[in-house]
PDB file of all heavy atoms in Angstrom:
ATOM      1  N   ALA P  32     -16.527  -9.532   8.784  1.00  0.00           N
ATOM      2  CA  ALA P  32     -15.108  -9.145   8.889  1.00  0.00           C
ATOM      3  C   ALA P  32     -14.792  -7.672   8.475  1.00  0.00           C
ATOM      4  O   ALA P  32     -13.831  -7.063   8.964  1.00  0.00           O
ATOM      5  CB  ALA P  32     -14.212 -10.068   8.024  1.00  0.00           C
ATOM      6  N   ILE P  33     -15.733  -7.072   7.681  1.00  0.00           N
ATOM      7  CA  ILE P  33     -15.485  -5.744   7.169  1.00  0.00           C
ATOM      8  C   ILE P  33     -16.583  -4.769   7.599  1.00  0.00           C
ATOM      9  O   ILE P  33     -16.300  -3.743   8.240  1.00  0.00           O
ATOM     10  CB  ILE P  33     -15.350  -5.714   5.604  1.00  0.00           C
ATOM     11  CG1 ILE P  33     -14.293  -6.710   5.150  1.00  0.00           C
ATOM     12  CG2 ILE P  33     -15.081  -4.339   5.133  1.00  0.00           C
ATOM     13  CD1 ILE P  33     -12.879  -6.337   5.563  1.00  0.00           C
ATOM     14  N   LEU P  34     -17.771  -5.029   7.218  1.00  0.00           N
ATOM     15  CA  LEU P  34     -18.901  -4.021   7.403  1.00  0.00           C
ATOM     16  C   LEU P  34     -19.215  -3.863   8.865  1.00  0.00           C
ATOM     17  O   LEU P  34     -19.357  -2.729   9.370  1.00  0.00           O
ATOM     18  CB  LEU P  34     -20.090  -4.449   6.582  1.00  0.00           C
ATOM     19  CG  LEU P  34     -19.968  -4.387   5.081  1.00  0.00           C
ATOM     20  CD1 LEU P  34     -21.285  -4.737   4.430  1.00  0.00           C
ATOM     21  CD2 LEU P  34     -19.516  -2.997   4.630  1.00  0.00           C
ATOM     22  N   VAL P  35     -19.391  -4.961   9.570  1.00  0.00           N
ATOM     23  CA  VAL P  35     -19.764  -4.852  11.012  1.00  0.00           C
ATOM     24  C   VAL P  35     -18.715  -4.146  11.826  1.00  0.00           C
ATOM     25  O   VAL P  35     -18.998  -3.205  12.564  1.00  0.00           O
ATOM     26  CB  VAL P  35     -20.109  -6.256  11.555  1.00  0.00           C
ATOM     27  CG1 VAL P  35     -20.319  -6.166  13.085  1.00  0.00           C
ATOM     28  CG2 VAL P  35     -21.378  -6.814  10.912  1.00  0.00           C
ATOM     29  N   PRO P  36     -17.395  -4.546  11.743  1.00  0.00           N
ATOM     30  CA  PRO P  36     -16.328  -3.791  12.429  1.00  0.00           C
ATOM     31  C   PRO P  36     -16.262  -2.362  12.035  1.00  0.00           C
ATOM     32  O   PRO P  36     -16.033  -1.504  12.903  1.00  0.00           O
ATOM     33  CB  PRO P  36     -15.054  -4.543  12.053  1.00  0.00           C
ATOM     34  CG  PRO P  36     -15.514  -5.927  11.707  1.00  0.00           C
ATOM     35  CD  PRO P  36     -16.843  -5.741  11.043  1.00  0.00           C
ATOM     36  N   LEU P  37     -16.533  -2.030  10.757  1.00  0.00           N
ATOM     37  CA  LEU P  37     -16.448  -0.673  10.292  1.00  0.00           C
ATOM     38  C   LEU P  37     -17.569   0.164  10.950  1.00  0.00           C
ATOM     39  O   LEU P  37     -17.291   1.288  11.495  1.00  0.00           O
ATOM     40  CB  LEU P  37     -16.591  -0.578   8.790  1.00  0.00           C
ATOM     41  CG  LEU P  37     -16.624   0.822   8.190  1.00  0.00           C
ATOM     42  CD1 LEU P  37     -15.342   1.558   8.487  1.00  0.00           C
ATOM     43  CD2 LEU P  37     -16.851   0.746   6.679  1.00  0.00           C
ATOM     44  N   MET P  38     -18.770  -0.364  10.952  1.00  0.00           N
ATOM     45  CA  MET P  38     -19.894   0.347  11.596  1.00  0.00           C
ATOM     46  C   MET P  38     -19.645   0.475  13.074  1.00  0.00           C
ATOM     47  O   MET P  38     -19.993   1.542  13.660  1.00  0.00           O
ATOM     48  CB  MET P  38     -21.194  -0.368  11.265  1.00  0.00           C
ATOM     49  CG  MET P  38     -21.543  -0.491   9.773  1.00  0.00           C
ATOM     50  SD  MET P  38     -21.533   1.106   8.958  1.00  0.00           S
ATOM     51  CE  MET P  38     -22.895   1.931   9.789  1.00  0.00           C
ATOM     52  N   PHE P  39     -19.194  -0.560  13.728  1.00  0.00           N
ATOM     53  CA  PHE P  39     -18.956  -0.481  15.179  1.00  0.00           C
ATOM     54  C   PHE P  39     -17.833   0.554  15.460  1.00  0.00           C
ATOM     55  O   PHE P  39     -17.882   1.262  16.429  1.00  0.00           O
ATOM     56  CB  PHE P  39     -18.538  -1.854  15.681  1.00  0.00           C
ATOM     57  CG  PHE P  39     -18.354  -1.837  17.216  1.00  0.00           C
ATOM     58  CD1 PHE P  39     -19.399  -1.654  18.059  1.00  0.00           C
ATOM     59  CD2 PHE P  39     -17.075  -2.125  17.703  1.00  0.00           C
ATOM     60  CE1 PHE P  39     -19.194  -1.675  19.439  1.00  0.00           C
ATOM     61  CE2 PHE P  39     -16.931  -2.144  19.124  1.00  0.00           C
ATOM     62  CZ  PHE P  39     -17.952  -1.918  19.961  1.00  0.00           C
ATOM     63  N   GLY P  40     -16.799   0.584  14.597  1.00  0.00           N
ATOM     64  CA  GLY P  40     -15.777   1.555  14.775  1.00  0.00           C
ATOM     65  C   GLY P  40     -16.253   3.007  14.621  1.00  0.00           C
ATOM     66  O   GLY P  40     -15.852   3.866  15.367  1.00  0.00           O
ATOM     67  N   ILE P  41     -17.180   3.227  13.655  1.00  0.00           N
ATOM     68  CA  ILE P  41     -17.749   4.530  13.527  1.00  0.00           C
ATOM     69  C   ILE P  41     -18.565   4.923  14.759  1.00  0.00           C
ATOM     70  O   ILE P  41     -18.487   6.071  15.243  1.00  0.00           O
ATOM     71  CB  ILE P  41     -18.669   4.612  12.239  1.00  0.00           C
ATOM     72  CG1 ILE P  41     -17.780   4.473  10.971  1.00  0.00           C
ATOM     73  CG2 ILE P  41     -19.404   5.941  12.158  1.00  0.00           C
ATOM     74  CD1 ILE P  41     -18.559   4.354   9.703  1.00  0.00           C
ATOM     75  N   TYR P  42     -19.264   3.967  15.323  1.00  0.00           N
ATOM     76  CA  TYR P  42     -20.029   4.240  16.551  1.00  0.00           C
ATOM     77  C   TYR P  42     -19.075   4.630  17.680  1.00  0.00           C
ATOM     78  O   TYR P  42     -19.370   5.555  18.432  1.00  0.00           O
ATOM     79  CB  TYR P  42     -20.836   2.965  16.933  1.00  0.00           C
ATOM     80  CG  TYR P  42     -21.200   2.886  18.378  1.00  0.00           C
ATOM     81  CD1 TYR P  42     -22.188   3.740  18.914  1.00  0.00           C
ATOM     82  CD2 TYR P  42     -20.556   2.019  19.221  1.00  0.00           C
ATOM     83  CE1 TYR P  42     -22.529   3.709  20.259  1.00  0.00           C
ATOM     84  CE2 TYR P  42     -20.876   1.964  20.613  1.00  0.00           C
ATOM     85  CZ  TYR P  42     -21.908   2.819  21.103  1.00  0.00           C
ATOM     86  OH  TYR P  42     -22.206   2.744  22.426  1.00  0.00           O
ATOM     87  N   LEU P  43     -17.928   3.948  17.785  1.00  0.00           N
ATOM     88  CA  LEU P  43     -16.977   4.263  18.871  1.00  0.00           C
ATOM     89  C   LEU P  43     -16.392   5.681  18.763  1.00  0.00           C
ATOM     90  O   LEU P  43     -15.952   6.214  19.781  1.00  0.00           O
ATOM     91  CB  LEU P  43     -15.843   3.241  18.899  1.00  0.00           C
ATOM     92  CG  LEU P  43     -16.232   1.787  19.307  1.00  0.00           C
ATOM     93  CD1 LEU P  43     -15.019   0.877  19.181  1.00  0.00           C
ATOM     94  CD2 LEU P  43     -16.814   1.749  20.723  1.00  0.00           C
ATOM     95  N   THR P  44     -16.407   6.238  17.570  1.00  0.00           N
ATOM     96  CA  THR P  44     -15.864   7.610  17.447  1.00  0.00           C
ATOM     97  C   THR P  44     -16.728   8.611  18.120  1.00  0.00           C
ATOM     98  O   THR P  44     -16.282   9.712  18.391  1.00  0.00           O
ATOM     99  CB  THR P  44     -15.736   7.969  15.950  1.00  0.00           C
ATOM    100  OG1 THR P  44     -17.040   8.002  15.349  1.00  0.00           O
ATOM    101  CG2 THR P  44     -14.857   7.031  15.194  1.00  0.00           C
TER     102      THR P  44
END
Side-chain angles (χ1 to χ4, degrees):
I33 304 296
L34 292 183
V35 172
L37 177 61
M38 299 306 296
F39 184 65
I41 293 174
Y42 159 72
L43 291 177
T44 63

